[in-house]
Amino acid sequence: MYAEWASLQTAIQTDPGNTSVLNIFPQTVGKDVACAVVKSMSQALSIGVNSNNADNTNRLMSEKDVKWTMEVICYGLSLPLEEHEALRDCVNIYCEWLTALNPQPKSSVPAVLLQEPNDYIQLMFKHLYNVFIPRPKSGIDLVKRQALLCHRVLRHVQLLATESMRNLSRGSWEAMLKFLLAITDTLMAPPKEKDDIGDQIGERVINVLFELWLLSCAHCFPIPSLWKTFRAMSLNWRHHDALVSQWHRINTILTSQLLKDRFGTDYPELQVSDEDGAILPTSMTQDQVIQSWFRFLHIISNPVDLSNIQIISQTPKFLHMALTSEVVIDPAQHNCLRSLPQIFFKAMKSVSILVDAFLGVSQNTVKDDMSFLSSMASSTSMSVRSSMPSINSGGSTPPERRKAKAFSVSGKHKLVHSRSSVSARSDSFSSENLTPYHLTLDSLPVLAAKRPKCNSILHMFGAWLFDGALLGVKVHGEDDMGTSRVRSSSFVDGQDRSQSVITSSSHISANKNSANEAGRAEACGALCRIFCAKKTDESILPVYLARFYIALYHALDVSENQSGPALASVLFNSIDLLRLDLDGVLVLVPRLLDAMEVVLSDTSPKIRYHDQIPLIELRKSAIHLLLSMLCLPLHFKSLTIKDIVKSQDDTTQEPVTVISLRVRITELLLKALLVEVDPMNTQMLLGGLTLLVQDLSVFEEMEKAALSNQDPLADTTTYSVTQPAGLDKDRADSEASVKMTQSESPRSAVSVGSTSSGPDLTTEPETHHQIKARDTAHGLFGQAASVVSNRLMASWKLDLNIALAAIEVILGLSKVKLNPHNSLMCKRTIKWMCDFIVYQCSRPAPSHSKDLHSMIVAAFHCLMSWLVDHHYLLQDKECLHTVLEVVELGISGSKSQNRASDPPKFKAEKDLMPASERVKHAAEAVLDIIIDHVGMFPPPCGPESTCSLLDEDTLLKMPAGYIVPEQQPAKFRYFVLENAIIIGILEKSVNSEDTLPSLTALIRGPFGRHAWSMQLRHLAKSHQNSLTVVNKDPGRPVPDDNIGVHHNITHRHFPEVVDAIPKTKSESSIPSLGQVIDENNLRQEHDKILSFIGAQVDFENKMAAKHKTDREKSPFPNPKVDCKAPSLCDEFQTARLFLSHYGFLTLEALKEPTTASLPPSLVMLNSGNESLSSDLDALDRIPTRSNDTAFVFYVKTKQTAAHSIINNVTSSANVQPQFLAFVQSLGWPIDVHRHAGWTGHMTSSWRTTQEDTPEPYAAGTGGSIYDGRRQVLYWADVSTEIAFVIPSPYMYHLTPQVIPSARPSVGDPVNHILMDEWH
C-alpha cells in the first residue's frame, strides 16, 4: 500500500534534535548549568513554589535568548531521575510554553514564541523526547516520578492538539506525530520488563498516539510516509496487548461512523460509548473516514503474525536483548512473549467484531463479549507457561496478575438495531470482569438486509481469517515453524499467493499449537458467519470457497490432533451451512458428520471445547447441522463425495457416496436421542426423527410407483435404499425378504430403547440385523416408535415439553404409510400410549396440575389419530379392551377392573371422578371417534365434513317426502333428549316403496348432525330371502273326520284310595244332603231342581246329536268357519313407537314428578315456532372440528409496501414456479360456493346447499385465485381443518403503506411468508 513511499523510521530513530550543546561538556558542567538556569527560570516565571515576582516574567526578549535557553532545557530534560526537581521544572516550563498557540496563551510564554509559535513548538517536541527515555538502574520510586512527568507532557500535548488544532501548521502536526512515534517506539519496542517506564505508561502513550493520529486525520491528514512509518514501527510493539486494544478501539470507532455514512442510519449501528464517541472529530468527511479506517485497519499488518513467536521476536530490540542478556539466549524465550496467544486472540476477536458489524449483526445480550477475554487469558497463559521454559528476565509479573491501571481503556462498543438498542460485541480488554460470557444460539446474528456481499467482506478480511483458521496447519515443504509461508496483511496484497496455498493444501498435515486455539477458533467462527450470510442470488468466488472448505476440513479434524475450540466454533457458527446451496459444500458432509458424532455421542466430552460456548448450545448447533443433512442421502443418492485433501496417488480408499452416509446419520440421530438431556435439543431430535421416517416412507413409495410404471408385474416388496445398483433380481428379493422378516420380528422392533432406563439403552451393541432393519421404512418405523415410546415412559414422562414433543412424534408416525403394515409395532405403540395415560392419571393428587392434564389430553389426541389411521387395530380384542379401558379411566376416573382377577365394577356402582374436565372431554372425544369415525373416515362426502350434509330442506325435497315449503316446519317434530340432543322426526320414509313403519330423524348433538332413516322390522333387510321362505303358505291339509275312539270317563272328585280310608267321627259332623232335606222339609224343592237338571241334560244331548248330523251333512271346508288372515295396518304413530322403543317415552317416565333442577329426559319443542328454523341453522354452523386460516404472501427483495406485495400474485410471471408448487402442496383447491367445510370466512363456511358458479376460473395467476372469493386451498383431518388464503388486490382495496418491522405479538395470527430472496 505504501510501496512507493519511503519510511521515516530511521530518520526518527536517529534524529539528533533531542541533543543539546551542553552534551559536549562534562556531565557535571551541563548538570550545574541546567539546574541553575532552570531553577532561576522557574522562580522568575512564577512557576516555582517560593516566587511571587511578576515583573521578571519575560526576561527572554530575543530569539537568541530563547534558543539558548531551550538548549539548556533540552539538556535538563535528559538529566538523571535523581535530579527530579530540575527535571520537573523543565517539564513545567515547556508545558507552559506549549500554550503559545492557544487563543489565550499563558503570561509566562516569551513574546518571541508568540511570533513564530509553530517553529518553537516543533523544536520543543524534539526536546521533550528526553523525558520519556528510560533511565536504567533507577529505583521504582524514581520511575514512578518519571511516569508522572510523562503523563503531564502527554496531557499538555493532547490539550495543544485539541484546543489549538486550527493554529497548528502541517509541520507542527507532523512534528507532533513523529514525537509520539518516537516515544512510543522507545518505550514499547524493547521487551517488556516489570516496573520499567514502558510498563508504567506504555498503554497511555499508545492511547495518546492513536487518538491524536485520528485527530490529525481530520485536520491535517498525515502523508503516506508517516503512515508507512507508523505501520513499520508498530510491528515492533505487537508484544504489548495495549497496542491491539487501542487498534481495536480506533477501528471500532471508525467502523461505526463508516457504517452510518455508507449504509444509512437504519443500518444496525455499531454503538460505542460516549467517551469513545467523543474521540472521533465531528469535522471528518466521509472520504477522511474511509481513508483513515483502511489505514488504521492495516496498521499492525497481519494479525495472524501475533501467533508466531519467531516473527514477533525477530525485531532489533529483541535481538539486542538476546545479545546483551546473560539469561536469554534465544529472543523467542523471553518471558513477555507468553502473552502472545492472548494478544492474538484479542486481535482475531477484533476482526470478528468488525466482520459482524459489516454483516449487520444485532445481538441480544447486555454483557460485553470481550469479558470472556479475562478467563480466556488466564487459561491461555497457563497453557503457554506449561509449554514454554520458565525464564525470568527481570522478574516480570505475568499479565494476568497485574493490577488494572488508571489509564486502562474500558470503553464499550455495541451493535444495536436502529429500533432497539441491544448491546453486542465490545472491546473491553481489561481484566476487571472475570465472569466469562457464554454464547447461545438465541444470540446468533440477525443479519441486515442491506449488508455487503460476502466477496466484499472477504476481500477486506479474508486473508487474515483464512490464515488464522489454518493456524498450526503445516504444508509439506515448509520448515517446522512455518516461516517460509509468506503472510499478507490483506487479501489485496496476497491475491497472487492464494492459489498456491490452495494447490499445496492437499498435502497439509496437522501441527497445531494449543495456546493459539482460541484465536484460531475466532477466525473459524468469523469465516462461518460470513459464508452463512450468503444471499439467494449471490455468488462467492471459487477461490474463497476452496480456502473456506480447506479451513473447515482441518478445523473439524477429530483425530488425536483435533482442536476443540475450533471445532466448537465451526459447529456453533455454521448451523445454516448446508441450507445455503453453496457450491461444493457436500465435500464437508463427511467431516461434519465426524465432528457431530464426537459432540452428540456423549454428554461428557473427553476433550475441551470452546469455553465461551456451553456444551448444551454446542450440541444444539450440531443438531441443527444434523437436521439439515437428513434429506441429503435420499436426494443425491449415489453422488460421489470427493476428499479435498486426498493425494492423487492414494487409491486404496473407496469413494464415499452420499447414500452411504444415511446409516451413519440415522444411527447418530438415534444415539443422540438416547443420551440427550436438554429439553430443547431433545425436541429438535424428535422432529428430525419424524422427518427421517416420513422421508424414507415417501421415497420407498415413489420407488415402488416408478417400478410399477416400468414393469406392471414387478414385485411390490420393499427394498433397502442402500441396495447396490447392479444387484440381480434374485439377490434383491432374497435380501428384501430377510429385511422384512427382521423388521417384523419383536427383537428388531424394539432394537433400540427396549429397556426402561435412558442410559442403559446404549449398553448393548446392536446386531447386524438391527442395523440392517433401518434400511427400510418398515424397520426404521419400528425402531423410531420403540425408542420414542420407551424414552417417554422411562425419562420424559415428567417433563411437559419433551413429553408433548414425543407424543407429537408418535402422532406423526401414525401418518406414515407402510406396505405391509407393521401391525405388531402399531399395537405396541397403542399399548404404550395407554400405559402413559394410566401412569399420569394414577399419580398422587399433589402432582396433578394443568401441565399434567395437558400431557394426558395430548396422549388421548395421539390415541385418536392412531385409531383413525390404523382402524384395523380395533379388530384385535386385546387392543380394543386396552383402549376402552383407558377411555373409561379418562371419563370416570377409575377402571372397572384393576386386575383381570378382580370382579368388574359396573357403571352405576362407580363414582364419576375424572382427573379433570379436559381429560374427561378428551376421553369422550376418543370414544366418539371410535363409534363414529374409526374405519369410516373420510366419509362419502370427503374430509370436508364429518357430519351429514342432509338437512330439513334436502330431506323434504326428496320424492317420497316432497311438500311445499310453507308446510315444511310442521312436518318435522322436534324433541330434546336428555337435555343434550335435539332430534327432528319426520314420520315419512325417504323411500316411497316402504310400507313398514318408517321415519327419518335428524339428530343434532355435540358430535354434529346426522340423518337416519329407520323402519320397524322383525328381521334385517339382509335376511329378506330367508324371510320369504319362512312365511310361504304351505297349503290346506287333507280333510280327515276320524277323531279317534271316544272314551266315557267318569270323573271323580277324589282319588279311589280315599274310599279305603276309614271314616272318623268328625266326618259325620257335617250332615249329608238327604239329612238336610228331610230335617228341613226341602224334598219338594230338591225334586224340582233335579227335574231342571234332567231337562238340561236332555236338551244338550239333543243338540249334540243335531250338531253331529249337521256336521256330517256340511261341505268341506266350511266357508262360514274358515280362518282368514287379518288386514294389514297402514297407519302408525312412528314417532311414539321410536321414542318408546328407545326408552324415552314410558309410563314410568310420564308418572315421574318434574323437578326444577333436573329437566325431564324428553321435552317436545314447538315445531311451529318461527325462530326454530333459524336457531337450528345457527346450530348447524357451529363446527365440530377446530378451524384455522393461514394467509400466504409472496414478498420480493426490498418490498415493504402492502399493495406491491399483494400485486405479486396477480400473474404467474411475477412469482417463481417453486412458490406455486409450494402453495399447491399445502392442500387441495375447493370452490367456496360448493364447499361444505371451512373456507376461511364465517359467512361462506359449512354450507349444505351449493350455489351455481357458471363463470370460469381465472388462469395464469400467481396464486391470487385462492383469495377466498372463488377458491381457497383446504386441508382437513378428523379433528382439524385449515384454509390457506392468498390475498389479492381484487378482494382487498389497499392504500400504499409500509409494513412495520416490529414483530407480531404472541396472540397475532400466524402468516406464512415466502421470500423471493432469503436474507
Side-chain angles (χ1 to χ4, degrees):
M1 185 164 53
Y2 310 107
E4 300 178 357
W5 299 88
S7 174
L8 304 177
Q9 181 177 0
T10 304
I12 293 175
Q13 292 175 344
T14 60
D15 187 6
N18 64 324
T19 59
S20 172
V21 68
L22 294 178
N23 290 102
I24 64 177
F25 296 97
Q27 184 177 3
T28 56
V29 175
K31 181 179 68 172
D32 294 340
V33 172
C35 291
V37 173
V38 170
K39 183 176 181 181
S40 176
M41 290 185 64
S42 176
Q43 295 174 354
L45 297 176
S46 299
I47 301 177
V49 178
N50 301 320
S51 178
N52 295 319
N53 187 2
D55 297 333
N56 299 323
T57 56
N58 292 320
R59 293 180 180 180
L60 306 177
M61 304 302 296
S62 64
E63 182 180 355
K64 178 181 177 182
D65 298 339
V66 173
K67 288 187 176 180
W68 183 87
T69 306
M70 294 181 71
E71 288 289 331
V72 176
I73 296 176
C74 176
Y75 187 83
L77 292 173
S78 63
L79 291 174
L81 297 179
E82 287 78 6
E83 303 294 335
H84 174 70
E85 292 184 1
L87 188 61
R88 180 195 63 193
D89 292 340
C90 293
V91 171
N92 291 339
I93 292 171
Y94 266 11
C95 289
E96 292 289 322
W97 288 7
L98 286 176
T99 62
L101 286 175
N102 289 354
Q104 295 180 353
K106 294 293 182 66
S107 59
S108 59
V109 179
V112 179
L113 264 71
L114 297 177
Q115 296 175 3
E116 296 292 338
N118 283 288
D119 295 338
Y120 290 100
I121 286 178
Q122 295 173 25
L123 185 59
M124 282 189 284
F125 283 146
K126 295 180 180 181
H127 295 171
L128 288 171
Y129 169 77
N130 293 328
V131 182
F132 296 86
I133 296 177
R135 273 69 166 177
K137 300 181 181 180
S138 299
I140 181 63
D141 295 334
L142 295 176
V143 173
K144 290 182 178 180
R145 291 184 179 184
Q146 182 187 10
L148 292 176
L149 296 177
C150 294
H151 283 306
R152 179 174 175 80
V153 172
L154 292 174
R155 183 166 61 253
H156 280 79
V157 172
Q158 282 184 296
L159 291 174
L160 173 66
T162 55
E163 297 179 0
S164 306
M165 62 182 71
R166 300 183 183 275
N167 298 327
L168 284 172
S169 63
R170 172 168 286 277
S172 299
W173 277 107
E174 292 180 357
M176 179 176 60
L177 297 180
K178 291 178 182 178
F179 160 72
L180 294 173
L181 287 174
I183 63 174
T184 305
D185 188 67
T186 300
L187 298 174
M188 308 296 286
K192 188 189 304 183
E193 300 292 343
K194 180 184 178 182
D195 295 333
D196 63 356
I197 186 63
D199 188 33
Q200 294 289 332
I201 65 169
E203 186 175 353
R204 175 69 189 284
V205 170
I206 292 181
N207 186 13
V208 174
L209 171 63
F210 275 82
E211 290 184 6
L212 295 188
W213 200 287
L214 181 61
L215 187 64
S216 175
C217 293
H219 300 283
C220 183
F221 200 84
I223 60 176
S225 295
L226 276 177
W227 281 105
K228 186 173 185 178
T229 305
F230 189 11
R231 178 180 178 183
M233 297 180 77
S234 66
L235 299 182
N236 300 327
W237 315 333
R238 292 184 293 181
H239 57 286
H240 293 271
D241 56 356
L243 174 67
V244 176
S245 300
Q246 294 304 321
W247 173 70
H248 167 71
R249 181 188 181 204
I250 298 300
N251 284 336
T252 308
I253 296 171
L254 290 172
T255 304
S256 176
Q257 185 62 37
L258 180 65
L259 293 176
K260 295 178 182 177
D261 296 340
R262 301 295 296 176
F263 299 104
T265 57
D266 59 340
Y267 198 77
E269 180 185 358
L270 180 60
Q271 191 180 40
V272 297
S273 64
D274 296 338
E275 177 187 356
D276 294 339
I279 298 175
L280 185 68
T282 57
S283 59
M284 286 191 72
T285 63
Q286 292 188 15
D287 186 60
Q288 289 175 340
V289 172
I290 295 174
Q291 295 295 329
S292 303
W293 174 83
F294 186 79
R295 284 166 170 78
F296 270 110
L297 184 65
H298 296 84
I299 238 12
I300 64 172
S301 187
N302 191 347
V304 184
D305 290 341
L306 294 168
S307 63
N308 196 331
I309 297 181
Q310 296 297 329
I311 295 177
I312 303 302
S313 63
Q314 295 302 314
T315 61
K317 296 292 184 179
F318 273 90
L319 295 175
H320 180 266
M321 178 271 304
L323 293 175
T324 57
S325 175
E326 298 179 357
V327 180
V328 180
I329 300 177
D330 186 358
Q333 299 296 323
H334 197 276
N335 227 16
C336 68
L337 296 179
R338 293 186 176 185
S339 61
L340 277 183
Q342 176 190 358
I343 299 174
F344 168 63
F345 171 70
K346 291 180 179 180
M348 298 313 299
K349 188 73 173 179
S350 175
V351 176
S352 176
I353 292 172
L354 298 181
V355 168
D356 290 343
F358 280 98
L359 292 176
V361 174
S362 59
Q363 299 282 344
N364 294 323
T365 175
V366 294
K367 274 192 174 183
D368 297 330
D369 273 292
M370 305 304 286
S371 62
F372 169 66
L373 289 171
S374 15
S375 59
M376 178 60 70
S378 177
S379 60
T380 304
S381 301
M382 288 189 294
S383 62
V384 173
R385 285 196 296 271
S386 63
S387 60
M388 294 183 62
S390 177
I391 298 178
N392 189 358
S393 178
S396 62
T397 304
E400 66 274 7
R401 296 182 58 186
R402 295 180 182 172
K403 295 182 179 180
K405 302 177 182 60
F407 299 97
S408 62
V409 179
S410 60
K412 299 178 181 177
H413 300 261
K414 305 172 184 177
L415 278 171
V416 298
H417 196 273
S418 58
R419 294 181 60 90
S420 59
S421 296
V422 290
S423 61
R425 311 273 179 180
S426 168
D427 70 310
S428 175
F429 294 133
S430 64
S431 58
E432 298 174 359
N433 188 359
L434 298 179
T435 303
Y437 169 57
H438 287 169
L439 295 173
T440 62
L441 281 184
D442 296 333
S443 66
L444 283 179
V446 179
L447 304 180
K450 298 189 298 183
R451 63 183 180 274
K453 291 187 177 180
C454 296
N455 286 334
S456 301
I457 302 177
L458 291 171
H459 288 337
M460 192 59 58
F461 305 103
W464 297 344
L465 294 176
F466 286 127
D467 286 348
L470 290 172
L471 181 64
V473 179
K474 180 183 175 183
V475 179
H476 293 288
E478 295 183 356
D479 57 10
D480 293 339
M481 301 307 298
T483 55
S484 62
R485 174 189 264 179
V486 181
R487 296 186 182 275
S488 59
S489 61
S490 68
F491 186 77
V492 179
D493 296 335
Q495 277 181 328
D496 298 335
R497 292 184 292 272
S498 299
Q499 190 60 38
S500 63
V501 174
I502 297 173
T503 318
S504 61
S505 63
S506 59
H507 305 285
I508 292 178
S509 63
N511 184 18
K512 302 179 176 62
N513 184 0
S514 59
N516 294 312
E517 288 304 320
R520 182 190 177 198
E522 273 302 320
C524 293
L527 281 175
C528 292
R529 290 195 295 274
I530 292 175
F531 282 86
C532 289
K534 173 184 172 294
K535 299 180 182 179
T536 303
D537 57 350
E538 182 181 351
S539 60
I540 302 178
L541 293 178
V543 63
Y544 287 143
L545 289 173
R547 298 187 72 181
F548 176 62
Y549 294 156
I550 291 175
L552 260 64
Y553 182 89
H554 292 283
L556 295 171
D557 185 14
V558 294
S559 63
E560 64 277 1
N561 296 321
Q562 63 181 337
S563 169
L567 183 145
S569 182
V570 169
L571 294 180
F572 184 81
N573 292 281
S574 59
I575 59 175
D576 294 327
L577 184 64
L578 300 178
R579 300 166 178 156
L580 299 172
D581 196 22
L582 292 174
D583 295 338
V585 73
L586 288 180
V587 298
L588 294 176
V589 171
R591 207 68 165 180
L592 286 169
L593 193 56
D594 293 339
M596 289 187 294
E597 287 175 343
V598 173
V599 174
L600 295 178
S601 298
D602 191 2
T603 55
S604 301
K606 300 178 178 60
I607 63 173
R608 180 185 179 188
Y609 294 120
H610 204 295
D611 292 341
Q612 199 177 2
I613 303 176
L615 181 60
I616 290 179
E617 296 298 326
L618 180 60
R619 292 177 61 85
K620 185 182 298 183
S621 305
I623 292 171
H624 271 286
L625 282 167
L626 179 61
L627 297 181
S628 64
M629 64 173 61
L630 290 180
C631 298
L632 296 181
L634 299 183
H635 180 76
F636 292 102
K637 298 181 181 178
S638 59
L639 180 66
T640 303
I641 301 177
K642 297 183 178 180
D643 193 349
I644 56 178
V645 298
K646 181 180 179 181
S647 59
Q648 298 180 356
D649 54 350
D650 186 9
T651 58
T652 58
Q653 186 177 2
E654 296 183 359
V656 178
T657 59
V658 184
I659 193 66
S660 65
L661 301 176
R662 196 189 70 84
V663 176
R664 289 180 59 191
I665 294 174
T666 304
E667 291 177 355
L668 178 59
L669 179 64
L670 293 173
K671 190 171 185 180
L673 191 60
L674 292 175
V675 301
E676 187 57 61
V677 295
D678 181 68
M680 184 60 68
N681 294 350
T682 304
Q683 294 177 54
M684 294 170 58
L685 289 170
L686 289 172
L689 182 60
T690 306
L691 172 62
L692 196 64
V693 177
Q694 292 178 347
D695 187 40
L696 183 56
S697 173
V698 173
F699 174 81
E700 290 186 355
E701 188 175 352
M702 295 174 61
E703 290 291 318
K704 289 180 183 178
L707 286 175
S708 61
N709 292 335
Q710 295 176 2
D711 186 4
L713 300 179
D715 191 5
T716 59
T717 306
T718 302
Y719 299 104
S720 167
V721 296
T722 58
Q723 174 183 319
L727 201 64
D728 55 23
K729 185 66 171 61
D730 296 336
R731 182 180 175 187
D733 293 341
S734 175
E735 291 190 3
S737 61
V738 170
K739 291 173 183 178
M740 289 179 57
T741 304
Q742 295 163 358
S743 61
E744 284 289 350
S745 64
R747 181 176 181 83
S748 65
V750 290
S751 60
V752 180
S754 57
T755 60
S756 59
S757 60
D760 295 339
L761 299 177
T762 57
T763 55
E764 296 184 2
E766 293 181 329
T767 64
H768 175 71
H769 298 299
Q770 294 172 350
I771 297 177
K772 277 292 185 180
R774 303 188 188 124
D775 290 345
T776 63
H778 193 277
L780 184 60
F781 170 85
Q783 290 195 358
S786 175
V787 168
V788 177
S789 300
N790 278 284
R791 288 283 287 168
L792 177 62
M793 292 298 297
S795 307
W796 300 337
K797 56 190 175 184
L798 301 180
D799 191 301
L800 172 66
N801 296 326
I802 301 182
L804 293 180
I807 292 172
E808 186 176 358
V809 171
I810 298 176
L811 188 148
L813 293 177
S814 68
K815 307 294 182 182
V816 176
K817 304 300 181 183
L818 297 177
N819 188 15
H821 296 293
N822 195 339
S823 303
L824 177 61
M825 185 50 61
C826 292
K827 181 180 176 180
R828 289 180 177 179
T829 305
I830 293 288
K831 180 66 167 59
W832 278 321
M833 290 308 303
C834 293
D835 291 343
F836 176 79
I837 297 174
V838 172
Y839 173 80
Q840 300 292 8
C841 290
S842 61
R843 293 179 63 182
S847 300
H848 280 255
S849 62
K850 183 178 179 181
D851 292 344
L852 176 65
H853 297 160
S854 297
M855 286 190 282
I856 300 175
V857 171
F860 273 119
H861 183 73
C862 177
L863 197 61
M864 183 191 311
S865 178
W866 272 88
L867 295 178
V868 172
D869 294 319
H870 301 270
H871 57 86
Y872 58 88
L873 294 175
L874 292 185
Q875 298 176 4
D876 183 85
K877 182 179 179 181
E878 181 182 358
C879 183
L880 177 62
H881 179 270
T882 303
V883 172
L884 293 181
E885 193 176 44
V886 170
V887 170
E888 178 192 14
L889 175 64
I891 295 176
S892 63
S894 61
K895 295 182 181 180
S896 296
Q897 283 182 296
N898 293 323
R899 298 180 182 86
S901 58
D902 295 342
K905 192 175 183 179
F906 296 103
K907 176 181 178 181
E909 303 173 358
K910 296 171 58 177
D911 295 331
L912 191 62
M913 298 179 61
S916 69
E917 285 297 319
R918 288 199 301 151
V919 174
K920 176 184 176 182
H921 293 163
E924 290 175 345
V926 174
L927 183 60
D928 175 64
I929 290 294
I930 294 175
I931 296 175
D932 287 345
H933 302 295
V934 172
M936 301 177 61
F937 184 86
C941 62
E944 63 186 24
S945 178
T946 58
C947 304
S948 174
L949 298 182
L950 298 175
D951 60 357
E952 286 83 355
D953 295 337
T954 307
L955 292 174
L956 293 177
K957 288 179 181 180
M958 291 184 176
Y962 181 77
I963 58 175
V964 295
E966 291 77 5
Q967 300 177 357
Q968 289 179 11
K971 284 295 181 180
F972 272 91
R973 301 171 64 184
Y974 294 96
F975 301 89
V976 177
L977 308 179
E978 301 293 345
N979 200 31
I981 298 175
I982 299 178
I983 180 170
I985 299 177
L986 177 64
E987 296 183 315
K988 277 184 172 294
S989 173
V990 294
N991 188 1
S992 59
E993 297 179 357
D994 289 338
T995 58
L996 296 178
S998 304
L999 62 84
T1000 303
L1002 279 177
I1003 305 173
R1004 293 177 173 90
F1007 42 81
R1009 181 186 62 206
H1010 295 278
W1012 290 88
S1013 178
M1014 305 180 186
Q1015 283 185 333
L1016 181 60
R1017 309 176 64 93
H1018 295 288
L1019 292 175
K1021 290 184 177 180
S1022 58
H1023 296 79
Q1024 186 174 2
N1025 295 333
S1026 59
L1027 181 64
T1028 303
V1029 174
V1030 172
N1031 292 339
K1032 186 176 181 180
D1033 187 6
R1036 186 174 297 277
V1038 177
D1040 187 7
D1041 289 342
N1042 185 13
I1043 60 174
V1045 180
H1046 178 69
H1047 300 278
N1048 293 324
I1049 299 174
T1050 302
H1051 298 279
R1052 291 177 55 89
H1053 297 289
F1054 300 98
E1056 295 179 355
V1057 295
V1058 176
D1059 298 338
I1061 299 174
K1063 296 182 178 180
T1064 62
K1065 293 181 178 181
S1066 61
E1067 294 180 4
S1068 301
S1069 62
I1070 301 175
S1072 63
L1073 180 60
Q1075 293 176 354
V1076 173
I1077 294 172
D1078 294 338
E1079 292 177 359
N1080 297 320
N1081 298 321
L1082 298 176
R1083 174 62 62 182
Q1084 184 177 358
E1085 285 79 2
H1086 180 254
D1087 295 338
K1088 190 175 182 179
I1089 291 175
L1090 290 177
S1091 63
F1092 289 158
I1093 294 174
Q1096 184 64 28
V1097 169
D1098 294 339
F1099 176 77
E1100 289 181 0
N1101 291 334
K1102 182 177 178 181
M1103 294 304 298
K1106 181 180 179 181
H1107 175 70
K1108 182 178 179 181
T1109 304
D1110 294 342
R1111 186 182 61 183
E1112 292 175 353
K1113 295 180 179 179
S1114 62
F1116 181 84
N1118 190 350
K1120 295 181 179 180
V1121 297
D1122 191 14
C1123 294
K1124 297 180 180 179
S1127 61
L1128 296 177
C1129 180
D1130 55 357
E1131 294 183 3
F1132 306 96
Q1133 296 180 5
T1134 53
R1136 181 184 59 82
L1137 293 175
F1138 168 77
L1139 295 175
S1140 60
H1141 289 174
Y1142 280 88
F1144 296 108
L1145 183 62
T1146 61
L1147 295 177
E1148 290 76 9
L1150 295 176
K1151 294 178 182 179
E1152 291 179 358
T1154 58
T1155 58
S1157 58
L1158 297 176
S1161 59
L1162 177 64
V1163 176
M1164 182 176 181
L1165 300 180
N1166 184 9
S1167 303
N1169 193 338
E1170 297 179 356
S1171 61
L1172 180 60
S1173 178
S1174 59
D1175 293 341
L1176 292 177
D1177 184 65
L1179 180 63
D1180 292 339
R1181 288 184 175 273
I1182 298 177
T1184 58
R1185 297 178 289 182
S1186 61
N1187 52 83
D1188 301 282
T1189 305
F1191 295 90
V1192 185
F1193 298 88
Y1194 185 89
V1195 184
K1196 294 184 178 180
T1197 306
K1198 299 180 181 180
Q1199 278 189 337
T1200 56
H1203 66 92
S1204 60
I1205 294 175
I1206 293 181
N1207 283 329
N1208 291 333
V1209 296
T1210 56
S1211 174
S1212 58
N1214 298 336
V1215 300
Q1216 293 180 350
Q1218 292 83 355
F1219 173 75
L1220 297 178
F1222 163 74
V1223 168
Q1224 293 173 357
S1225 66
L1226 296 176
W1228 50 90
I1230 54 95
D1231 192 322
V1232 173
H1233 303 286
R1234 299 174 179 270
H1235 185 56
W1238 174 246
T1239 62
H1241 200 275
M1242 291 291 297
T1243 58
S1244 58
S1245 301
W1246 305 298
R1247 293 175 177 269
T1248 57
T1249 58
Q1250 299 180 355
E1251 299 180 6
D1252 296 333
T1253 54
E1255 299 84 1
Y1257 299 125
T1261 65
S1264 61
I1265 188 175
Y1266 306 121
D1267 58 359
R1269 296 183 303 159
R1270 293 285 303 279
Q1271 284 188 329
V1272 295
L1273 293 168
Y1274 178 80
W1275 181 91
D1277 62 5
V1278 72
S1279 60
T1280 306
E1281 52 183 345
I1282 182 171
F1284 298 92
V1285 181
I1286 305 179
S1288 68
Y1290 303 105
M1291 185 175 182
Y1292 303 97
H1293 302 285
L1294 297 177
T1295 57
Q1297 54 185 346
V1298 177
I1299 298 178
S1301 59
R1303 295 184 177 180
S1305 62
V1306 178
D1308 292 342
V1310 178
N1311 297 334
H1312 293 258
I1313 301 180
L1314 185 67
M1315 308 296 290
D1316 184 32
E1317 175 180 347
W1318 296 102
H1319 299 297

